């Protein structure tokens, strides 16, 4: 119970910071991307409470805010893990077995693409290309690129982050 109370208090503090930040964008419809980026920087993702605050501050509809968030891949509707894993599913990686690497990651982490582990340690996403085709198949964990992967290498890589 204490952890839940602490999380609620921390979220409330972050929401207050979002309110303060939004003051500089009041009524500026064209500031939507900047406001969302800053809000995500404060909260870590863009829950409904934040979306409502942004819509109200910029005097736009909630549906405009939501459609922008879901259009751009760098915005998150769910909390993200400390370590964000992106699996490249571009042509070169896919042909060389990226789908099998992704399957192993899902199995090892116990989550699907788009989800975060219960301990908030890992988030798992798929992307179209990381620009490292010569190393296919590849994954990126935060800013670290891992290439020439096989499913059997996944546990060893994840162990580095435990």
């Amino acid at each position: 119970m204490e952890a839940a109370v602490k999380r609620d208090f921390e979220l409330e503090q972050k929401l207050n910071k979002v309110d303060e930040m939004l003051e500089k964008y009041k009524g500026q419809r064209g500031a939507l991307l900047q406001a969302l980026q800053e809000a995500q920087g404060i909260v870590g993702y863009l829950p409904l409470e934040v979306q409502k605050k942004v819509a109200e501050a910029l005097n736009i509809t909630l549906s405009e805010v939501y459609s922008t968030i879901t259009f751009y891949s760098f915005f998150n509707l769910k909390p993200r893990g400390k370590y964000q894993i992106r699996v490249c599913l571009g042509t070169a990686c896919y042909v060389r077995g990226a789908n099998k690497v992704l399957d192993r990651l899902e199995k090892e982490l116990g989550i699907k693409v788009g989800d975060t582990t219960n301990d908030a340690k890992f988030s798992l996403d798929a992307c179209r290309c990381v620009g490292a085709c010569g190393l296919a198949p590849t994954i990126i964990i935060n800013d670290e690129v891992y290439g020439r992967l096989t499913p059997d290498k996944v546990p060893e890589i994840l162990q580095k982050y435990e």
Side-chain angles (χ1 to χ4, degrees), residues 2-147:
E2 278 184 30
V5 171
K6 183 180 177 191
R7 270 194 310 273
D8 289 344
F9 178 72
E10 289 172 355
L11 179 59
E12 193 61 40
Q13 285 184 313
K14 290 176 181 179
L15 291 175
N16 289 337
K17 287 181 182 178
V18 169
D19 286 334
E20 292 171 18
M21 175 273 296
L22 287 171
E23 284 298 315
K24 65 184 173 191
Y25 296 119
K26 281 276 189 207
Q28 297 180 36
R29 296 176 61 87
L32 178 56
L33 288 177
Q34 297 95 318
L36 289 172
Q37 285 178 315
E38 288 185 45
Q40 183 167 281
I42 294 167
V43 180
Y45 68 112
L46 297 167
L48 184 58
E49 301 97 318
V50 171
Q51 295 173 49
K52 288 178 180 177
K53 288 177 179 293
V54 170
E56 185 178 311
L58 302 182
N59 197 27
I60 59 177
T61 65
L62 182 58
S63 65
E64 286 178 85
V65 173
Y66 180 79
S67 65
T68 300
I69 292 168
T70 56
F71 179 80
Y72 291 102
S73 63
F74 49 83
F75 291 129
N76 300 306
L77 290 169
K78 298 179 186 178
R80 308 308 292 159
K82 179 178 180 180
Y83 303 109
Q84 296 186 34
I85 303 172
R86 289 176 286 152
V87 179
C88 180
L89 295 179
T91 303
C93 287
Y94 192 83
V95 167
R96 294 187 179 131
N99 57 327
K100 292 180 177 104
V101 172
L102 177 57
D103 289 345
R104 183 66 182 263
L105 280 162
E106 288 179 337
K107 180 182 174 199
E108 292 290 325
L109 297 171
I111 59 174
K112 296 288 185 191
V113 169
D115 291 337
T116 299
T117 56
N118 289 335
D119 61 3
K121 189 172 249 184
F122 295 102
S123 293
L124 182 61
D125 290 300
C127 59
R128 288 292 148 217
C129 186
V130 301
C133 300
L135 299 175
T138 60
I139 65 170
I140 298 177
I141 301 180
N142 291 352
D143 294 323
E144 183 97 15
V145 177
Y146 295 90

